[in-house]
Amino acid sequence: MANPRESELHYPLGDILPGPGEALDLAPGVRWVRMGLPFALDHINLWLLRDRIDGLEGWTIVDCGIASEDTRAHWERVFAERLDGLPVLRVMATHFHPDHLGLAQWLTQKWQCRLWISATDFNLARLASSSTVGMGGASAAAFFGSHGLTDPESLDKIRARADYYPKMVPEVPASYRRLMDGIEVEIGGRHWVCIAGYGHAPEHISLFCREAKLLISGDMVLPRISTNVSVVDVEPEADPLTLYLNSLSRYLELPADTLVLPSHGKPFTGLHQRIDQLREHHDERLAEVASACAAEPTHAAGLLSVLFKRKLDLHQTTFAMGEAIAHLNALWLKGELRRELCKDGVYRFSPG
């Protein structure tokens, strides 16, 4: 959903965007790369940080793009034209999602360097690249069916998407360096603090540099859209929304004039305002869910038209279902709603 209070944010680069295979200078030693995605959300921002490790000059890459020929070709152009003749020394991933980790194996193998990522997301990526984790297949279809998604065509397509993750992340590096909340990573003489966030991914890592007032926010804080917060079949009673909203408090500790480098959208200032907007957005959604359930016992699929005012394709529907369940679970686990498994095998929620 687009941000109705976007005018409260400031975009210092205006409408300037890097093209395919380009890298824009944002600050000394910081370059912005942008790669395409085959979804309605059609791009991801990736970052190059000037670095020095064990006496070697080079670059750190933050996030990778999906595994595709186009993404590889754009990276090759960046390597040829925008690394100043220096090598890549390490690859960091904010979390395990395909647009962030897809080419990690290719990048680390090409440059003979290490992947840095949280342990939780590394291990989940290793599992997901050889199976399916909440992205598709029979288990995901059954889970969404239990929350009211009964359209046979949609369920058939979800069952057929068992290779959703492996197609975009065909392989994950066999070894890694662990990122954890609170640790400092020296990158090019600057210190970047890891901030763990929960709800969007199991252990998402954002990077904050106090000297430069820069935050690589990953997907935790986006300027125009709200971050997807979903429940998936491997953890059906999870409460990711509460985890996500609690995680946002960490960013209020950062300077108000921090330049935020998000994974989607444009670099912006107005971090504290954006946190307030995101909280307001989810408060409104929770109120809408509670109101719908008060009118009649409601399942997640019945909330899609309440929470999403636009037509959804299958990819968007799976994310929307996950989000609807996340809002229901948040209210259910707080005792504000009760959950009942009805005779048709579908969970419906009503006032607690």
Side-chain angles (χ1 to χ4, degrees):
M1 183 179 293
N3 176 14
R5 292 171 55 188
E6 190 176 2
S7 62
E8 298 175 15
L9 309 181
H10 174 61
Y11 298 91
L13 275 75
D15 293 326
I16 297 173
L17 300 172
E22 297 178 355
L24 287 182
D25 289 299
L26 284 180
V30 181
R31 291 176 179 170
W32 174 19
V33 177
R34 192 174 172 99
M35 299 290 187
L37 295 173
F39 314 120
L41 184 58
D42 62 2
H43 70 277
I44 179 172
N45 299 322
L46 315 170
W47 314 100
L48 291 171
L49 306 178
R50 190 70 162 77
D51 206 353
R52 178 186 176 88
I53 299 177
D54 297 332
L56 296 175
E57 299 287 339
W59 295 89
T60 282
I61 290 174
V62 181
D63 287 335
C64 307
I66 63 169
S68 72
E69 291 304 317
D70 281 349
T71 310
R72 275 187 282 266
H74 294 326
W75 269 126
E76 293 286 12
R77 183 180 167 194
V78 170
F79 299 154
E81 299 177 5
R82 295 297 285 146
L83 294 189
D84 305 332
L86 297 172
V88 173
L89 301 177
R90 64 180 145 196
V91 174
M92 290 185 168
T94 54
H95 59 297
F96 86 105
H97 290 160
D99 47 338
H100 298 261
L101 194 66
L103 279 180
Q105 170 67 9
W106 178 73
L107 289 167
T108 55
Q109 192 170 49
K110 179 181 179 66
W111 293 104
Q112 291 298 294
C113 64
R114 184 77 68 222
L115 170 67
W116 296 49
I117 187 173
S118 71
T120 313
D121 280 52
F122 173 76
N123 285 297
L124 187 53
R126 294 272 288 179
L127 174 64
S129 66
S130 58
S131 61
T132 176
V133 178
M135 306 292 182
S139 179
F143 175 63
F144 290 140
S146 73
H147 282 278
L149 187 66
T150 56
D151 171 49
E153 183 180 0
S154 295
L155 292 176
D156 284 345
K157 289 180 178 178
I158 292 169
R159 289 187 194 97
R161 288 202 329 163
D163 63 347
Y164 171 82
Y165 191 91
K167 280 174 65 176
M168 291 182 285
V169 191
E171 192 172 358
V172 176
S175 59
Y176 76 110
R177 178 82 173 261
R178 185 176 184 180
L179 294 175
M180 298 174 62
D181 185 55
I183 70 169
E184 287 192 1
V185 182
E186 184 175 336
I187 305 175
R190 289 175 173 159
H191 293 88
W192 295 77
V193 178
C194 294
I195 303 173
Y198 307 95
H200 174 69
E203 192 181 0
H204 181 295
I205 300 292
S206 301
L207 297 162
F208 174 63
C209 178
R210 188 166 296 278
E211 301 112 289
K213 289 188 179 179
L214 293 174
L215 172 68
I216 297 177
S217 65
D219 280 346
M220 288 297 292
V221 184
L222 304 175
R224 296 204 67 244
I225 58 174
S226 58
T227 298
N228 178 259
V229 178
S230 284
V231 177
V232 296
D233 59 277
V234 294
E235 194 183 356
E237 286 81 39
D239 187 5
L241 182 57
T242 299
L243 292 174
Y244 175 72
L245 293 173
N246 289 343
S247 294
L248 290 179
S249 300
R250 300 287 304 281
Y251 301 102
L252 292 174
E253 302 168 9
L254 307 184
D257 58 347
T258 295
L259 178 62
V260 182
L261 309 184
S263 290
H264 308 284
K266 297 179 291 187
F268 71 96
T269 56
L271 174 62
H272 294 184
Q273 292 93 323
R274 186 58 182 142
I275 300 305
D276 180 60
Q277 293 167 11
L278 289 167
R279 286 176 165 168
E280 179 183 72
H281 167 73
H282 285 292
D283 284 345
E284 291 172 353
R285 282 189 153 195
L286 288 166
E288 290 173 338
V289 169
S291 178
C293 293
E296 62 177 330
T298 304
H299 50 59
L303 290 171
L304 296 187
S305 61
V306 175
L307 298 176
F308 302 92
K309 312 303 183 186
R310 63 191 187 278
K311 184 175 175 59
L312 303 172
D313 60 25
L314 179 69
H315 180 75
Q316 293 166 326
T317 297
T318 58
F319 281 103
M321 281 294 296
E323 285 239 355
I325 299 166
H327 284 76
L328 287 166
N329 277 8
L331 295 169
W332 168 55
L333 292 168
K334 287 182 177 69
E336 296 178 28
L337 293 179
R338 67 184 185 90
R339 188 180 79 166
E340 181 180 2
L341 184 61
C342 300
K343 291 181 179 179
D344 59 0
V346 173
Y347 288 109
R348 288 177 174 81
F349 295 77
S350 56

